[in-house]
Amino acid sequence: MGYMPIHEKLCDNFNDTVWIVNGKKPLDDSFKKWKFDFVLDARKTLLSNTGASLFGVRIGMEYRRVHRFGVGLYGLSNDVYVNSLFEVDTSVAEGLLNLTYVSLFYERIMFFNHKWEWLVTGHLGAGSVKGSYRYNGTKDWVNYENKNVRPLEFSTMMYYHITWWCSAGVGIGYRFMLKTPQEIRPIYSAPVGIVRLRIKLGRLTRSIWNKDVKYQY
């Protein structure tokens, strides 16, 4: 009998099933129960004075192919320009603010096959906003005292599997700013556009001794 690659195995030979939007999906021996998950994560705030960009990394685990959870580390790559901070002082002419936070995330894969993957994600974060501002009639900038914030974000996105070890994704979501001072809440509570590059480090490592890893999805 000739050799049959893993991706051509019949779905009748499975150890488990998971739910996705088009029904139960068989999981055969090619699916590992636990996997390491590493993601390069970028977000663009769609409604702000400058369209602030947020970059970060996500590290976690994947369980039974459809559950992912872990920790994300995020920081704005550019300051957000604001033309007033009325809650601080009505005479503030302009300011520059920067957001950084750590989040816990849970992600549920709703559909997947060899080339595509659709998912929904929730983040609950804790971080701070810092920056500086300038009063009318002066050129001197005053430090804006660090403010603790609690970002809460929900999103949905679609991945395309470029290779067996790398996937690119785009999506949309909304960020809510909990426990955030009123003067800065509207700046960051906004729709977001998301771009991700997912590197499958665990699969790359396993491919050293198991060439069939490339057929897993």
Side-chain angles (χ1 to χ4, degrees):
M1 179 180 294
Y3 170 74
M4 179 181 292
I6 292 178
H7 68 293
E8 294 180 359
K9 287 183 178 181
L10 296 176
C11 287
D12 290 339
N13 300 319
F14 61 85
N15 297 325
D16 197 0
T17 60
V18 292
W19 181 89
I20 56 176
V21 291
N22 59 336
K24 289 186 177 181
K25 182 81 169 180
L27 299 183
D28 61 23
D29 291 338
S30 67
F31 294 92
K32 302 299 180 184
K33 191 171 185 178
W34 288 97
K35 292 181 183 178
F36 177 72
D37 188 52
F38 177 79
V39 173
L40 299 177
D41 206 353
R43 287 164 164 75
K44 185 79 170 181
T45 299
L46 302 179
L47 295 177
S48 74
N49 291 340
T50 61
S53 298
L54 183 68
F55 290 96
V57 296
R58 232 185 55 177
I59 302 171
M61 297 297 297
E62 179 183 286
Y63 175 64
R64 296 180 66 235
R65 187 56 181 84
V66 296
H67 304 283
R68 295 183 186 135
F69 49 88
V71 177
L73 306 173
Y74 296 94
L76 284 176
S77 62
N78 62 293
D79 292 328
V80 176
Y81 174 82
V82 293
N83 54 20
S84 64
L85 286 172
F86 292 113
E87 299 289 335
V88 176
D89 195 315
T90 57
S91 62
V92 170
E94 59 182 346
L96 294 172
L97 302 175
N98 196 283
L99 167 68
T100 58
Y101 66 91
V102 178
S103 73
L104 298 176
F105 74 87
Y106 171 72
E107 190 165 85
R108 180 56 160 90
I109 290 79
M110 308 302 292
F111 172 82
F112 66 93
N113 60 25
H114 282 287
K115 281 297 182 181
W116 297 96
E117 183 175 291
W118 171 45
L119 51 86
V120 293
T121 311
H123 283 264
L124 178 60
S128 64
V129 173
K130 62 181 180 180
S132 57
Y133 56 91
R134 182 181 64 81
Y135 289 102
N136 284 313
T138 70
K139 295 183 179 179
D140 296 327
W141 288 78
V142 179
N143 286 334
Y144 179 75
E145 184 181 352
N146 284 18
K147 304 293 185 180
N148 293 328
V149 296
R150 292 285 181 89
L152 175 64
E153 185 180 300
F154 298 100
S155 62
T156 183
M157 65 182 307
M158 184 73 74
Y159 272 114
Y160 176 73
H161 303 313
I162 302 172
T163 70
W164 57 271
W165 57 268
C166 178
S167 302
V170 294
I172 57 174
Y174 197 94
R175 183 190 305 117
F176 302 88
M177 299 299 292
L178 308 179
K179 296 185 178 180
T180 301
Q182 185 58 44
E183 72 267 18
I184 59 176
R185 184 177 299 166
I187 300 170
Y188 298 107
S189 289
V192 293
I194 304 169
V195 177
R196 286 184 190 164
L197 186 66
R198 185 165 169 244
I199 308 298
K200 300 160 188 175
L201 295 177
R203 187 174 299 182
L204 278 172
T205 302
R206 296 201 312 274
S207 69
I208 297 173
W209 61 82
N210 181 6
K211 302 302 181 182
D212 288 334
V213 161
K214 66 180 65 177
Y215 300 121
Q216 300 174 5
Y217 66 97

